[in-house]
Amino acid sequence: MTGSEDFFAAMVLATLAGLSVPAGAALTWGVRWLPADEDQSLRHFVTAFGGGALMSAIALVLVPEGIDRLAPGWALALFGLGGLAFMIVDRALANRGTHLAQFLAMMLDYLPEAMALGALLAADRGVAVLMAAMIALQNLPEGFNAFREMRDNGMAARRVIVLFLLMVPVGPLAAGFGMVVLSGQQAILGGVMMFSSGGILYLLFQDVAPQVPMARHWSPPFGAVAGFMLGLAGHLATM
């Protein structure tokens, strides 16, 4: 493909991946009819599924791609710095009475992967297309969870939907940035990936995983396995 065709493809793929965020939020309206017990079980399952998908993003995409682009010392330092930075952000939000772990984890996952999508498209279109599919499938449960978390913390549903729709163009912007700027700055792209990985891992164990357990319910933990399997399937398809 030519450079203009690569750029157009990056915009389309990133937009489609971004649309899965409001699509995940829309799914919450489809389960309102469920009984309270089943709704709670579904919510825990989807939370675990999203956690598994995030873990797969760390283990199979962000960290492997990040360490390929950085010296070991920088990779470790930026990973730790990401965890520290989001611990500080999480504490600040908690002190203000705001709890947005799922939303932060979604953005930490979405932005670096969209940048990588743009940076990789010219070099390997097949990998870039599969990465776009992985982003979309990860964003779906994350949008579902983030919407319910933000609504439960007092934000009006309509405002959350508007915010999620405004997020859709963020993906193409990140992909365009990755293609134009980061395709020639591999160390910076690797640094973004490692920093984001540390932040995601902190949020997973601080806020996402503790929401999963339910007494005498076994399907929610299996959701984490299913979520990781999703990411693994995408990773294996690129090998």
Side-chain angles (χ1 to χ4, degrees), residues 8 19 42 45 61 75 86-87 118 123 208-209 237:
F8 178 75
L19 284 170
L42 175 65
F45 179 89
V61 180
F86 275 83
M87 179 184 73
V208 179

Side-chain angles (χ1 to χ4, degrees), residues 162-219:
V162 170
L163 175 62
F164 281 13
L165 287 172
L166 291 174
M167 281 178 57
V168 174
V170 171
L173 288 173
F177 181 81
M179 174 171 284
V180 174
V181 179
L182 298 185
S183 59
Q185 302 290 332
Q186 296 299 306
I188 296 175
L189 178 60
V192 170
M193 291 178 169
M194 295 306 299
F195 183 89
S196 299
S197 296
I200 293 170
L201 192 62
Y202 168 82
L203 292 172
L204 273 173
F205 282 92
Q206 171 64 15
D207 293 294
V208 179
Q211 298 180 43
V212 172
M214 290 183 69
R216 301 191 65 78
H217 284 262
W218 295 271
S219 59

